[in-house]
Amino acid sequence: MADVPPTIQLTGPLVLGYQFNWGLYGVLATQLYTYHQAGFRDSRLIKFIVYGVFVVETLQLIMATHDSFHTLALGWGNFSDLLEVWFTWFDLPFLTGLTSATIQCFYAWRLFVLSKSYVLAITIAAIALVQGAAAMAEGLQIFISQNVPGTQTDTFKTTAVWLGGTALCDIIICCAMFYFLSKSRTGFRTTDSVLNMLIRITIETGMVTAVVAIIELTLFLTFKHNFYHVVPAFMLSKLYSNSFLVLLNSRIITSKRLTTSETFQSHTELSISRETNRTGGMKLDLAHRTFNDDIAMVTFSDNPNKTHQNPPHDRVLCDV
């Protein structure tokens, strides 16, 4: 018991971790409702990932609530209950690794669609699968050892691979998305503003998960025999799920911006046509732009010969 820290170093991080877990779950529920109401015509695979991730996060929340009730309510005043594993081995490392690896593999697929690079996509997917497997391995190690105070020592290698691989994969995804989206700029103000918005969302969501993973790894390796690392651990899985849905739901804003731009352009063309018919001058046809948003991956092209149509909301967002 010489290595056992003061009670506050165990209960304090647990309370904060459970609160952040519930708060981020509320944000996730709102994001899912927005996605459902938007009526995106996504493929069955994407919808399976979206709703599957929400089911996994709900299961994680139920298990974490069970642990918090047993630790902080039923076990109040009993120090040994603070050192019980309960479902922590499964709801923290195991489910977090499953969620993060799934979402990172999704990003690898989207980057392949954007860049047509097998090397980049396979590299990202490989790192994602390795870190996910390491997270699951850590969960099994904790379950087998049942040694909460010695968790940092027993799972040092697997945790380093898990969280280090998570941060590395997120950084690669952010850099690659920034590079390829930046190359897609066309010079048109509207299209470039949409691209800038997508770049900003990608960097913000990707870097948040990478920074939290680094913070968790640092706390895990620096502070022995306490629960400081539990706070970011409870946040990591929900942050991945929220960032994934934020990226998908950003198509709503993209569609509105483009619809507004196309409406303005149509009115401009109509005004020019009427004016030229009255004066007998030259009729000016503005070049039309076609927009294709493939899960927040955009391509723009100028096609003056194509008849302009103002596609409905779900067609602008494109099937995948």
Side-chain angles (χ1 to χ4, degrees):
M1 298 295 290
D3 294 331
V4 176
T7 305
I8 187 62
Q9 296 184 14
L10 301 177
T11 57
L14 286 176
V15 171
L16 292 177
Y18 293 135
Q19 289 178 337
F20 282 123
N21 195 28
W22 268 101
L24 290 173
Y25 181 81
V27 177
L28 180 63
T30 303
Q31 291 290 341
L32 182 68
Y33 177 78
T34 303
Y35 176 85
H36 179 75
Q37 289 296 106
F40 296 126
R41 300 177 65 179
D42 294 336
S43 66
R44 292 182 179 179
L45 176 60
I46 294 176
K47 290 185 177 180
F48 176 80
I49 295 175
V50 170
Y51 293 104
V53 164
F54 184 76
V55 170
V56 171
E57 295 296 351
T58 303
L59 176 63
Q60 194 270 347
L61 185 75
I62 293 173
M63 289 184 170
T65 303
H66 167 274
D67 294 349
S68 66
F69 188 78
H70 276 270
T71 302
L72 303 175
L74 296 179
W76 179 260
N78 187 356
F79 188 82
S80 61
D81 280 357
L82 289 174
L83 303 180
E84 284 288 339
V85 174
W86 304 113
F87 291 129
T88 304
W89 68 274
F90 186 76
D91 59 36
L92 275 188
F94 199 96
L95 293 183
T96 300
L98 176 64
T99 301
S100 61
T102 301
I103 294 174
Q104 287 172 343
C105 287
F106 170 83
Y107 284 127
W109 171 50
R110 299 318 307 152
L111 279 169
F112 171 73
V113 173
L114 187 65
S115 66
K116 305 301 181 183
S117 173
Y118 285 99
V119 175
L120 178 63
I122 292 175
T123 300
I124 294 174
I127 297 175
L129 293 176
V130 168
Q131 68 86 8
M136 297 177 186
E138 181 193 356
L140 293 176
Q141 286 179 322
I142 295 174
F143 176 74
I144 293 172
S145 66
Q146 296 288 317
N147 180 22
V148 174
T151 299
Q152 282 94 329
T153 302
D154 297 338
T155 64
F156 173 84
K157 294 181 180 180
T158 52
T159 301
V161 173
W162 165 33
L163 297 176
T166 298
L168 176 62
C169 192
D170 289 339
I171 293 173
I172 294 176
I173 291 172
C174 285
C175 294
M177 292 278 281
F178 174 79
Y179 175 74
F180 289 110
L181 287 177
S182 297
K183 287 180 61 179
S184 300
R185 288 193 174 97
T186 63
F188 292 105
R189 180 182 301 176
T190 303
T191 56
D192 286 351
S193 67
V194 171
L195 284 170
N196 292 334
M197 181 193 69
L198 295 176
I199 291 172
R200 186 181 69 253
I201 292 175
T202 301
I203 294 177
E204 289 176 353
T205 55
M207 292 308 296
V208 164
T209 52
V211 169
V212 171
I214 293 173
I215 292 175
E216 182 184 353
L217 179 61
T218 302
L219 294 176
F220 187 89
L221 299 179
T222 303
F223 298 96
K224 303 292 185 179
H225 311 299
N226 59 46
F227 291 164
Y228 290 162
H229 65 280
V230 167
V231 178
F234 273 114
M235 298 170 58
L236 189 58
S237 179
K238 297 292 188 300
L239 287 175
Y240 268 108
S241 303
N242 275 291
S243 64
F244 174 58
L245 279 171
V246 164
L247 182 62
L248 296 182
N249 290 336
S250 66
R251 293 175 293 173
I252 299 175
I253 303 176
T254 301
S255 174
K256 290 181 179 179
R257 288 189 179 184
L258 290 168
T259 301
T260 302
S261 174
E262 296 293 351
T263 301
F264 174 77
Q265 180 178 337
S266 298
H267 286 305
T268 303
E269 293 173 357
L270 182 60
S271 299
I272 293 175
S273 177
R274 289 177 177 175
E275 183 66 23
T276 54
N277 288 337
R278 287 198 300 267
T279 60
M282 182 183 297
K283 183 177 179 180
L284 176 63
D285 289 328
L286 298 180
H288 300 295
R289 286 164 296 175
T290 59
F291 172 72
N292 175 30
D293 182 358
D294 195 2
I295 304 299
M297 303 299 175
V298 293
T299 56
F300 297 95
S301 62
D302 293 330
N303 186 2
N305 298 322
K306 185 176 180 180
T307 303
H308 172 68
Q309 294 180 345
N310 188 16
H313 180 269
D314 56 353
R315 296 297 297 276
V316 173
L317 299 177
C318 188
D319 297 343
V320 177

